[in-house]
Amino acid sequence: MIYDQNYQIIPFFFLFTIIFSSSLRLFQKYWKEFRNLDPHVQIQFVSRVVSCINALVITLAAAYVLLTDDKLYANKLVYTSPILTIAYNLVFGYLLYDFLCMLWYRNILFDWQFVLHHLVSSSANKTSNRRYQMMQNKLPIEQNISIPKHAQKII
């Protein structure tokens, strides 16, 4: 899966890792109130910010395809789109990043609910046929049902 030319999960994994690391450093450097927070809270906050960035991009990509791509409505079951392929890879790159981040910061970020969420989300890749893209169409939206859970942790 990782080496298939249709899958670009690893670059997105590194993208989210860079966003996390650079956001943490930038917030610490330029946001005085952020520097005063406990380091555990800082990591949790930045993790949720990265999650929200992922959710926003995936939701916008899915909405764009649903609103503008006429080929989708012509054949909903056998459908491919470069935008959906990118969104699909972005989701799985994020899931890999977030899962490894939870393991790295296990005392701060680890939550069994999120592990279960990641496993169920990732298993959708194994249970769906790659050419039947209806699942792929729904996947980005279903992935982001967890947005309220992430937002709740920010607040």
Side-chain angles (χ1 to χ4, degrees):
M1 175 174 78
I2 292 174
Y3 300 110
D4 186 342
Q5 65 182 7
N6 294 323
Y7 292 91
Q8 299 297 323
I9 295 169
I10 298 301
F12 287 116
F13 162 75
F14 283 114
L15 174 68
F16 286 115
T17 303
I18 290 168
I19 291 172
F20 177 84
S21 299
S22 59
S23 297
L24 184 61
R25 283 169 182 70
L26 286 171
F27 287 160
Q28 289 171 340
K29 184 175 182 179
Y30 296 110
W31 189 3
K32 182 181 175 185
E33 290 81 10
F34 187 81
R35 282 191 304 265
N36 295 334
L37 294 173
D38 180 63
H40 291 135
V41 175
Q42 290 178 3
I43 290 169
Q44 288 174 348
F45 181 81
V46 173
S47 176
R48 304 304 176 239
V49 167
V50 174
S51 174
C52 289
I53 291 169
N54 170 61
L56 177 66
V57 172
I58 295 302
T59 302
L60 291 175
Y64 175 79
V65 169
L66 288 172
L67 294 173
T68 63
D69 198 341
D70 295 331
K71 294 177 186 176
L72 170 66
Y73 297 103
N75 193 350
K76 294 178 185 175
L77 287 178
V78 182
Y79 173 75
T80 59
S81 164
I83 293 173
L84 285 182
T85 301
I86 290 170
Y88 187 78
N89 291 313
L90 188 88
V91 165
F92 285 103
Y94 172 77
L95 289 173
L96 178 62
Y97 145 79
D98 199 42
F99 182 72
L100 293 176
C101 197
M102 280 192 298
L103 293 178
W104 185 262
Y105 296 108
R106 65 185 154 274
N107 295 331
I108 302 169
L109 296 177
F110 191 84
D111 185 346
W112 281 107
Q113 290 176 338
F114 285 118
V115 171
L116 182 63
H117 163 73
H118 287 33
L119 291 174
V120 169
S121 299
S122 297
S123 69
N125 181 41
K126 296 291 183 192
T127 58
S128 66
N129 183 334
R130 180 73 175 102
R131 291 293 161 211
Y132 289 88
Q133 301 291 329
M134 186 170 144
M135 182 69 171
Q136 187 178 14
N137 239 358
K138 293 169 59 179
L139 184 65
I141 295 169
E142 290 172 0
Q143 293 287 331
N144 292 310
I145 291 174
S146 66
I147 293 172
K149 176 82 172 158
H150 290 292
Q152 178 185 23
K153 291 219 175 189
I154 290 175
I155 297 170

